Amino acid sequence: MQEPNNLIHASSPYLQQHAFNPVEWHEWNSAALEKAKLENKLILVSIGYSACHWCHVMEHESFENFEVAEVMNKHFVCIKVDREERPDIDQIYMLAVQLMNGNGGWPLNAICLPDQRPIYGGTYFRKQDWINILLNVADLWKNEPEKAKDYAKRLTDGIHQSEKIIHVATGVEFNKTHLTEIIEPWKRHFDMADGGYNRSPKFPLPNNWIFMLRYSHLMEDEGAAISTMLTLEKMALGGIYDQVGGGFSRYSVDERWHVPHFEKMLYDNAQLVSLYAEAYQYLKIPLYKEVVTETLEWISKEMTSPDGLFFSALDADSEGIEGKFYIWDKQEFEIVVGKDAELLAAYFNVTSEGNWEEEESNVLQRKLTDEEFAERNNLSLNELQQKISVAKEKLLTKRASRIRPGLDDKCLVAWNAMMIKALAEASLIFEQDFYYQRAKQATEFILTNLRASDGGLFRNYKNGKASISGFLDDYAFLIEALIVLYEADFDEKWLLEARKLTDYVLIKFEDKNSPMLFYTSSASEALIARKHEIMDNVISASNSVMAQNLQKLGLFFDNDAYRNLANEMLSSVLPSIKSYGSAYSNWSIQLLNAVFGINEVAIIGEGFEIEKNRLHKLYIPNKITLGGVNSKLPLLADKQSKETKIYVCRNKTCQLPVPTVEEAMRFIS
């Protein structure tokens, strides 16, 4: 058996997958980087993640191959990086590859000088192409080192200059015109037949649709609401959603949300729970509640650690075949389902010939909502849903006997925080204490076990160990979750923790030449560049999340410095939003809040819980809530009462108190 390489001791399941490759892999650390300098060898940085299908393919074709390993080991110091544990490294080399090639993705492979500056890179390479590239670049370094250094200088200059945000003049007056200038070109890309955007593959991009929901409500734009409703319905009925077990895959390879790329990521599902919960709060469509309930049940059963934290991902592959765990042929489906098999095959679009590229295999999907299907088949809704429930239990039991996809069981603070926020929101919207208790347990574990001695955060947790210092997204998303957790229980300890972490961030992540915050702390390991994360992608940018946190905490604590910085951040990015709205969707939510203002709803008195629950049945996207009894928050300090009272405040002015939410709604804009 092949002797293990240095990755055998790694905390990352992805790195451990490569521990028995013949490649002499190293983790990214000072020893490996020093080795490259001492031996004057190029560094080969190979970046991926555990649920990445093409990462597995390249490993099998190249990194497990002795011929390839010989070339890699001879000419390079080879470093494997888990992009989820070290997004700071991934950020830099992804940008380098995008500057070189115009696009990027994973696996990401960058060849660097011994000082870490990149000179060549790309994504997936076939075996022979990979060997040829390695030999050519090694030859360049041996025979024309000055040429390689010139490449490195130009590329590194490009990395430093990209996405540079500088201070702008303060005092920008945000208005509705700014919003319409963003939305009109954005709408042209909507797919009005299948939802999402006019392209494939299709990613859910939850924050895009949260913005659309809020925009449609505040700007009274029916078109934005219709596009969002169509997208949410098509995703929930499609194969991208696990129709048997709940939860979403990362994206669909086609334009109809039918065939997924089967990996299931915690961050996608956390954000989608938030999206569907908010959409239910707004529109009260039963399908949205079903998605939230089933997805959170899947998270509870399959993605929750004994500590109450949440695991990172499920692989796309099982038995070396993508999607094998999830697909069905018609014969097996009918045997498992038994009674009503024909009806349920029609419900899930199961056919003898199969409904996707794998012969006779079916990705379960739905063409109709339960209400539509019941009416078409002369069934009551209750009768149909009972049949579906029985069938799902049988299918789940059968599926559990299959070989499961690999689980990436590391826990990341940023992703856990997204799930904490989603659970806290769902607990409010659906009045489910179980969701709140799970959010609270995970939060308390992080605050107790993932704090560094200086008050900062660690990023990762696995096997009882945290080893990587937190990045800006870890702080931003945890602060955001703490704010929502406070709104769920009015326990001010969450806000005090949020303020502590915010003050830490403003010191350790400050860029004196920009209102934006660096992605890495000043105490972090120095890389070839220190970057900001500005553009919202599949996950909202850490700077846009921090801007919203600062705005809200500024209101909770009456802190003008927080609010001023939030406005300066938004002002600085505003010129960029118009040209590419979907890549600035979370910034656009901040713009909505700036244009329409944030309603500060304070509920005090002994009956506050009843009114708080009533409030969260209503859709008021531009609000913060605060209250309880004996509060020390500035807005509540002089408003204590045994009698239940509700205050609605804006811009440091409060309306007269009223006893019910219904009456308070007169003051909410």
Side-chain angles (χ1 to χ4, degrees):
M1 184 178 177
Q2 173 72 30
E3 286 292 313
N5 56 46
N6 295 291
L7 301 185
I8 195 67
H9 303 296
S11 62
S12 158
Y14 172 66
L15 298 193
Q16 288 181 351
Q17 288 169 9
H18 294 76
F20 289 92
N21 293 169
V23 176
E24 292 170 12
W25 290 117
H26 299 265
E27 290 189 73
W28 182 282
N29 55 37
S30 57
L33 299 173
E34 191 60 30
K35 177 180 169 68
K37 286 183 180 176
L38 287 172
E39 297 178 10
N40 197 33
K41 270 189 172 182
L42 295 173
I43 300 170
L44 194 159
V45 184
S46 181
I47 305 172
Y49 58 101
S50 68
C52 166
H53 173 71
W54 288 102
C55 299
H56 298 326
V57 172
M58 190 162 178
E59 180 193 11
H60 179 66
E61 292 177 350
S62 293
F63 304 149
E64 292 177 353
N65 183 281
F66 283 88
E67 180 189 1
V68 178
E70 185 179 10
V71 175
M72 291 173 68
N73 295 338
K74 180 179 179 182
H75 298 288
F76 303 90
V77 172
C78 302
I79 297 179
K80 245 311 164 191
V81 175
D82 181 338
R83 68 170 291 260
E84 297 166 353
E85 281 196 341
R86 293 299 305 265
D88 55 330
I89 299 169
D90 176 65
Q91 185 184 73
I92 288 170
Y93 294 112
M94 176 63 75
L95 186 51
V97 168
Q98 288 170 335
L99 289 171
M100 281 184 267
N101 304 328
N103 54 48
W106 298 278
L108 186 73
N109 293 287
I111 299 173
C112 312
L113 299 185
D115 62 9
Q116 306 168 39
R117 291 182 298 160
I119 57 171
Y120 187 84
T123 54
Y124 165 77
F125 295 97
R126 291 185 177 87
K127 174 191 161 187
Q128 198 54 52
D129 294 339
W130 182 234
I131 291 173
N132 291 340
I133 285 163
L134 295 176
L135 291 172
N136 286 337
V137 178
D139 185 66
L140 175 71
W141 179 237
K142 181 182 177 182
N143 297 312
E144 299 180 89
E146 292 307 315
K147 195 173 185 180
K149 288 175 183 175
D150 182 53
Y151 286 159
K153 182 183 182 305
R154 282 185 282 154
L155 200 48
T156 306
D157 287 347
I159 292 168
H160 281 284
Q161 292 303 316
S162 67
E163 279 194 338
K164 203 163 191 177
I165 299 288
I166 57 171
H167 287 280
V168 298
T170 53
V172 174
E173 288 291 328
F174 304 113
N175 56 60
K176 290 182 181 180
T177 302
H178 288 132
L179 288 163
T180 53
E181 286 174 345
I182 293 165
I183 201 78
E184 291 309 318
W186 194 344
K187 282 181 176 178
R188 294 181 206 131
H189 300 286
F190 290 166
D191 182 341
M192 296 310 295
D194 290 296
Y197 298 109
N198 280 311
R199 59 175 182 248
S200 62
K202 277 188 172 172
F203 287 81
L205 299 172
N207 195 265
N208 280 211
W209 304 109
I210 287 177
F211 168 74
M212 287 298 163
L213 282 175
R214 297 183 186 186
Y215 180 90
S216 71
H217 178 77
L218 294 169
M219 293 285 283
E220 299 179 350
D221 185 315
E222 189 178 353
I226 289 168
S227 299
T228 306
M229 290 164 66
L230 175 66
T231 300
L232 267 59
E233 178 178 299
K234 292 291 188 178
M235 288 197 302
L237 301 182
I240 191 174
Y241 182 67
D242 183 350
Q243 299 293 336
V244 171
F248 288 85
S249 294
R250 189 160 168 256
Y251 61 88
S252 73
V253 300
D254 58 85
E255 70 285 353
R256 294 177 294 111
W257 307 106
H258 176 200
V259 179
H261 186 37
F262 287 90
E263 61 195 6
K264 291 167 91 170
M265 313 299 295
L266 180 67
Y267 61 76
D268 284 322
N269 284 282
Q271 293 177 99
L272 285 161
V273 166
S274 290
L275 168 61
Y276 277 90
E278 182 168 326
Y280 180 81
Q281 187 185 45
Y282 183 12
L283 302 163
K284 302 296 187 288
I285 293 173
L287 177 63
Y288 301 166
K289 184 176 182 180
E290 175 190 325
V291 166
V292 170
T293 303
E294 290 182 346
T295 300
L296 289 178
E297 192 172 339
W298 164 69
I299 290 287
S300 180
K301 286 179 178 176
E302 298 190 32
M303 300 297 286
T304 304
S305 78
D307 302 308
L309 295 182
F310 306 104
F311 299 134
S312 291
L314 283 178
D315 205 332
D317 301 359
S318 51
E319 301 180 67
I321 299 171
E322 186 179 359
K324 186 170 184 181
F325 183 73
Y326 300 99
I327 58 178
W328 304 85
D329 64 55
K330 189 175 185 186
Q331 183 181 10
E332 182 186 26
F333 178 89
E334 290 178 338
I335 291 168
V336 171
V337 170
K339 187 183 175 189
D340 299 316
E342 188 175 342
L343 177 79
L344 290 159
Y347 178 84
F348 286 119
N349 191 35
V350 175
T351 66
S352 300
E353 61 274 15
N355 65 19
W356 75 308
E357 61 192 34
E358 294 291 324
E359 191 176 345
E360 298 182 5
S361 293
N362 295 274
V363 176
L364 302 189
Q365 62 163 337
R366 294 148 66 185
K367 298 291 190 185
L368 304 169
T369 64
D370 285 359
E371 291 80 3
E372 292 165 337
F373 191 88
E375 183 180 350
R376 193 168 290 189
N377 288 275
N378 299 314
L379 294 165
S380 72
L381 182 60
N382 185 55
E383 186 181 1
L384 172 65
Q385 289 180 335
Q386 284 183 342
K387 292 177 187 293
I388 294 164
S389 179
V390 170
K392 283 184 177 181
E393 282 299 317
K394 290 178 177 178
L395 291 164
L396 266 178
T397 301
K398 175 62 179 176
R399 202 168 79 175
S401 69
R402 296 175 176 176
I403 294 173
R404 301 185 64 77
L407 171 69
D408 187 330
D409 62 349
K410 68 176 180 289
C411 301
L412 301 175
V413 168
W415 300 5
N416 270 256
M418 291 178 212
M419 184 51 69
I420 290 165
K421 172 178 173 279
L423 284 162
E425 289 168 338
S427 77
L428 286 168
I429 293 166
F430 301 110
E431 284 189 65
Q432 282 286 348
D433 184 64
F434 175 58
Y435 297 156
Y436 162 75
Q437 294 298 339
R438 286 163 60 198
K440 181 181 176 184
Q441 181 186 2
T443 306
E444 288 179 335
F445 189 91
I446 290 169
L447 293 175
T448 303
N449 297 282
L450 292 172
R451 293 297 277 271
S453 58
D454 69 347
L457 296 170
F458 286 103
R459 177 172 180 80
N460 64 327
Y461 185 82
K462 186 177 186 304
N463 297 334
K465 189 173 79 171
S467 56
I468 299 168
S469 295
F471 301 109
L472 185 60
D473 57 343
D474 297 300
Y475 292 88
F477 286 110
L478 185 58
I479 292 163
E480 182 183 46
L482 287 164
I483 293 170
V484 178
L485 205 50
Y486 165 75
E487 293 183 306
D489 65 8
F490 289 161
D491 187 336
E492 286 171 26
K493 73 179 182 184
W494 307 122
L495 284 184
L496 295 173
E497 288 286 359
R499 184 171 66 178
K500 265 190 230 171
L501 291 171
T502 298
D503 290 341
Y504 181 95
V505 164
L506 294 179
I507 294 168
K508 298 286 188 178
F509 293 80
E510 180 190 23
D511 180 353
K512 288 183 167 51
N513 299 311
S514 170
M516 298 301 170
L517 298 157
F518 282 122
Y519 186 71
T520 54
S521 162
S522 57
S524 297
E525 167 195 1
L527 301 175
I528 61 167
R530 200 172 171 208
K531 299 298 294 176
H532 308 114
E533 187 181 58
I534 308 295
M535 292 174 72
D536 299 314
N537 203 299
V538 174
I539 297 173
S540 299
S542 46
N543 267 290
S544 68
V545 177
M546 275 307 303
Q548 290 190 37
N549 292 341
L550 287 161
Q551 187 69 39
K552 290 179 180 178
L553 290 173
L555 294 172
F556 280 120
F557 291 108
D558 193 21
N559 185 320
D560 287 339
Y562 285 177
R563 292 201 296 269
N564 291 341
L565 178 55
N567 285 332
E568 191 180 353
M569 293 168 82
L570 179 60
S571 299
S572 297
V573 84
L574 184 63
S576 304
I577 303 179
K578 278 193 289 187
S579 60
Y580 195 4
S582 68
Y584 293 92
S585 55
N586 205 43
W587 290 109
S588 299
I589 290 172
Q590 177 78 344
L591 180 60
L592 277 173
N593 290 339
V595 171
F596 286 91
I598 294 177
N599 297 285
E600 303 156 55
V601 185
I603 308 172
I604 61 167
E606 292 176 354
F608 74 87
E609 284 283 0
I610 294 168
E611 293 304 320
K612 184 181 73 172
N613 290 339
R614 285 177 180 158
L615 179 69
H616 288 288
K617 291 282 180 287
L618 305 172
Y619 189 56
I620 312 164
N622 57 327
K623 75 174 185 307
I624 60 168
T625 55
L626 60 167
V629 292
N630 301 320
S631 173
K632 294 182 177 61
L633 293 172
L635 191 63
L636 299 175
D638 57 351
K639 295 182 174 65
Q640 295 310 304
S641 167
K642 284 191 174 182
E643 194 181 329
T644 302
K645 293 180 180 178
I646 302 170
Y647 292 84
V648 177
C649 309
R650 289 164 63 90
N651 301 323
K652 301 192 177 187
T653 303
C654 294
Q655 302 294 328
L656 289 172
V658 292
T660 66
V661 164
E662 287 72 23
E663 291 170 275
M665 285 302 292
R666 288 185 289 123
F667 304 125
I668 288 174
S669 58

